[in-house]
Amino acid sequence: MIYRYDRDELFDEEELQKLLSDLEDILDQAADTGGTPEEVFQMVCQYCAHDIEAFLYDYIIEQMDEGNEIYASELLDGFYDYISDKKWFDFLKARLFALSDSEDSESLLLGLLEQQEESPDLDLCFELCRFVVNRGDTEIFFRAADLLLKLIDKENEFHSFLDIVAEFHRCLDMDNQEKAVLDILAKRKNLALDRSIEAKDKEMIREYLKNA
């Protein structure tokens, strides 16, 4: 079913959703007999050809994007205890709460940022930045962007960061600043993507953020 889902060949999701419900029941029953939920889940995952944790993350995001917030919440609640890398699913919770304008979303985002400042994950920091740009929370964005800028060290990562900064200025209707960032990006398009970026590159873009 995951294979068909990944290939966009799953036209009726009821069977998949039934299997996910069955999986949750199996995990619950196994956890009741002993062992931590994470250990039970990892034991099941050993016999699977796909990364179930990654699939659940993608599938829950899809449910939110399609307006199925209730089902997305049910999946999060049902599988959260079993997930080993909970920070990504905390991010999903923040996204879900944001759909209803819940104050819990900001609390979760701030908690995630605190975790990332202690033990950063580059991919998650990128996702946090992208999300808060679209959410319009400038205070959290500045904090997330500052953390991300400290982490990136390759040209391809810098390009992705510049895209986010340009989008940030676009959302604030700061056309001149957006154009300036896009001009920087255009001038760097022929640079090798695996080259290391210099401290002055980071400082240059940090100045644009200070003036926002």
Side-chain angles (χ1 to χ4, degrees):
M1 297 296 288
I2 293 176
Y3 173 79
R4 288 165 55 193
Y5 169 83
D6 288 342
R7 292 170 61 87
D8 201 24
E9 295 175 354
L10 190 63
F11 303 111
D12 184 357
E13 294 191 17
E14 288 188 8
E15 187 177 356
L16 172 61
Q17 293 175 2
K18 173 64 167 58
L19 287 175
L20 289 174
S21 179
D22 290 344
L23 174 60
E24 186 181 341
D25 288 341
I26 291 170
L27 293 171
D28 289 344
Q29 292 171 24
D32 287 342
T33 64
T36 67
E38 291 92 344
E39 289 171 342
V40 168
F41 186 64
Q42 289 305 311
M43 181 181 66
V44 172
C45 289
Q46 291 181 51
Y47 300 96
C48 298
H50 291 81
D51 186 336
I52 298 180
E53 196 164 312
F55 163 74
L56 285 170
Y57 179 85
D58 292 339
Y59 190 60
I60 291 170
I61 283 183
E62 182 177 281
Q63 297 308 304
M64 287 191 284
D65 290 343
E66 293 180 355
N68 301 325
E69 292 96 342
I70 294 177
Y71 183 52
S73 179
E74 291 174 351
L75 289 173
L76 264 173
D77 291 341
F79 287 100
Y80 182 85
D81 288 343
Y82 297 101
I83 299 302
S84 59
D85 194 2
K86 287 185 169 51
K87 61 180 179 291
W88 284 94
F89 285 74
D90 287 332
F91 176 55
L92 287 182
K93 283 186 177 182
R95 289 184 55 158
L96 188 61
F97 285 135
L99 292 174
S100 58
D101 296 322
S102 170
E103 293 181 0
D104 291 332
S105 177
E106 182 174 351
S107 297
L108 279 169
L109 288 170
L110 288 172
L112 275 171
L113 276 173
E114 290 176 3
Q115 291 177 21
Q116 290 304 296
E117 287 165 352
E118 294 178 4
S119 180
D121 180 317
L122 181 63
D123 291 334
L124 181 55
C125 287
F126 266 116
E127 289 303 310
L128 280 168
C129 267
R130 292 188 182 100
F131 177 68
V132 294
V133 162
N134 294 320
R135 188 170 179 262
D137 193 323
T138 55
E139 182 178 348
I140 296 179
F141 173 78
F142 285 132
R143 186 169 167 182
D146 184 64
L147 172 61
L148 184 53
L149 195 55
K150 293 175 183 175
L151 295 176
I152 60 178
D153 59 9
K154 297 296 182 183
E155 188 66 31
N156 63 324
E157 298 165 352
F158 195 50
H159 284 199
S160 297
F161 182 76
L162 289 173
D163 281 332
I164 293 173
V165 174
E167 177 66 19
F168 171 72
H169 287 113
R170 185 180 306 118
C171 291
L172 294 179
D173 295 324
M174 301 175 70
D175 297 338
N176 291 335
Q177 289 87 338
E178 177 195 357
K179 183 179 182 305
V181 174
L182 291 175
D183 286 344
I184 294 171
L185 188 57
K187 292 175 181 177
R188 303 178 72 92
K189 66 179 181 179
N190 293 324
L191 297 177
L193 294 179
D194 60 348
R195 72 184 288 271
S196 297
I197 57 176
E198 301 176 14
K200 65 179 182 180
D201 296 323
K202 293 186 178 185
E203 191 57 38
M204 170 184 59
I205 203 64
R206 190 174 279 114
E207 288 301 316
Y208 281 102
L209 289 171
K210 287 180 180 178
N211 296 324

